Amino acid sequence: MTTTEQSAVVMYEADQDGAPGTECGSCVTWAVKYTVAMQASYYLTLHIVSPRLRELVLDDLAIGYAAAVAKKEVAEFAEYFESYTDRVERALDPEKLRGGEHIFEYRRVWSNHATLLCERRLRLVRRAEKARRRRT
C-alpha cells in the first residue's frame, strides 16, 4: 500500500470516527487532498468554471477516494477518478456532443454535479445547525 493509500484509509477512518482535526488540520487529510487535486484539477478546470464548485468536487473526490481505498475497492486514484467521471458523465446528451456543443455540454453536466454537491452540503449544514439549536 502506497503512502497516499495509507493516508486515504486513515482519513476515511478518522472521518467515520468523527475524530477532531479530520476536516482540514490533519496532515493525512491534506496528503489525500493534495493527491486528488494534483491529479484531477486540470480535468475539472476544463469543465467547471467556478473555483468554488471545483473545490466541492475535489472534496467529494478526496472523501470518496479515501472511502474506496479503506474498503479496498480501488488502490490507485486514477482508477477511482475514471469511475467517478464515468458516473458524472452519464448525464451527457449525445445529441449535443454530436452537434458540436461538447464543451458546453461537459460544462453543463459537471456544473450541475457540483451544484448538487453544494446543495447537499448546505442541507447538511442546516441540519447540523438545527440540531445544535435544539441542544441549547
Side-chain angles (χ1 to χ4, degrees):
M1 186 178 284
T2 67
T3 304
T4 302
E5 292 167 13
Q6 290 170 340
S7 296
V9 170
V10 171
M11 177 184 165
Y12 175 75
E13 290 171 351
D15 186 52
Q16 295 303 302
D17 294 339
T22 57
E23 179 60 32
C24 65
S26 157
C27 292
V28 171
T29 300
W30 279 109
V32 173
K33 286 184 175 188
Y34 176 78
T35 299
V36 168
M38 289 302 296
Q39 295 187 34
S41 287
Y42 178 74
Y43 188 83
L44 295 177
T45 301
L46 292 173
H47 302 310
I48 304 172
V49 177
S50 166
R52 286 185 178 192
L53 292 178
R54 259 195 320 268
E55 183 181 357
L56 287 169
V57 175
L58 287 170
D59 284 348
D60 189 54
L61 277 164
I63 292 166
Y65 174 58
V69 170
K71 295 174 185 174
K72 297 182 179 8
E73 295 171 351
V74 296
E76 296 297 321
F77 177 73
E79 180 184 355
Y80 178 76
F81 187 62
E82 184 178 338
S83 70
Y84 188 95
T85 57
D86 287 347
R87 283 193 311 270
V88 172
E89 293 173 358
R90 284 185 193 140
L92 289 169
D93 182 347
E95 290 298 315
K96 289 184 179 175
L97 295 177
R98 284 192 291 274
E101 299 178 31
H102 62 280
I103 293 171
F104 303 110
E105 182 60 5
Y106 274 90
R107 283 188 177 163
R108 179 191 69 81
V109 167
W110 278 98
S111 293
N112 285 349
H113 173 68
T115 301
L116 290 173
L117 292 175
C118 182
E119 290 170 358
R120 184 184 319 152
R121 181 178 281 183
L122 286 173
R123 282 193 304 271
L124 290 171
V125 167
R126 287 184 188 133
R127 193 176 304 145
E129 287 173 353
K130 214 182 259 187
R132 190 176 327 120
R133 275 188 249 131
R134 286 184 193 149
R135 286 184 289 203
T136 57

